[in-house]
Amino acid sequence: MMFEIDGVAAHAEDDWIGSTVAIGDAEIVVNGDVGRCAVTTQDPDRGVPDLDTLGTLSRYRRDGRTEPLPFGVYGAVASPGVVRLGDRVATQ
C-alpha cells in the first residue's frame, strides 16, 4: 500500500502525477497528491488534538497539484507484480 523511494530529490513524486511508474514488476498510475487532514493532529490513543501538523506542513509546502497540504502521492495498480526491497523505480 505504501512505498518509500530513496535516491530521488525531495518531492520528485509531484512530477509523476498523471504518469505510470514501474516499481519492480508492478506498474502504478500516479493519480494525485495525498492531502493531509485534521486527523494527523490528534493523539492516536486519546483522539484529541495535541500536535499542529497542519500548521507545520502549511509553513513547509502549502499547495499541491490536486490537494492542499500535499505530502506524498497516491495511485492505482495498472499492472500487478512483485515488488522487492531495492527494486528499480522508473517513470514511463
Side-chain angles (χ1 to χ4, degrees), residues 13-18 32-33 63-68 70:
E13 69 274 12
D14 294 349
D15 294 331
W16 301 348
I17 295 173
D33 297 310
D63 297 319
R65 287 178 52 191
T66 64
E67 293 285 332

Side-chain angles (χ1 to χ4, degrees), residues 33-63:
D33 297 310
V34 175
R36 297 299 161 182
C37 69
V39 170
T40 63
T41 67
Q42 297 180 357
D43 178 285
D45 295 322
R46 297 180 298 127
V48 296
D50 69 344
L51 184 62
D52 185 20
T53 55
L54 299 180
T56 300
L57 187 54
S58 71
R59 288 186 295 279
Y60 173 65
R61 67 188 310 239
R62 189 151 190 83
D63 297 319

Side-chain angles (χ1 to χ4, degrees), residues 76-89:
V77 176
S79 177
V82 175
V83 177
R84 294 177 183 86
L85 183 64
D87 275 352
R88 184 174 164 269
V89 176

Side-chain angles (χ1 to χ4, degrees), residues 17-39:
I17 295 173
S19 300
T20 300
V21 178
I23 305 174
D25 295 332
E27 290 183 347
I28 310 298
V29 176
V30 181
N31 295 317
D33 297 310
V34 175
R36 297 299 161 182
C37 69
V39 170

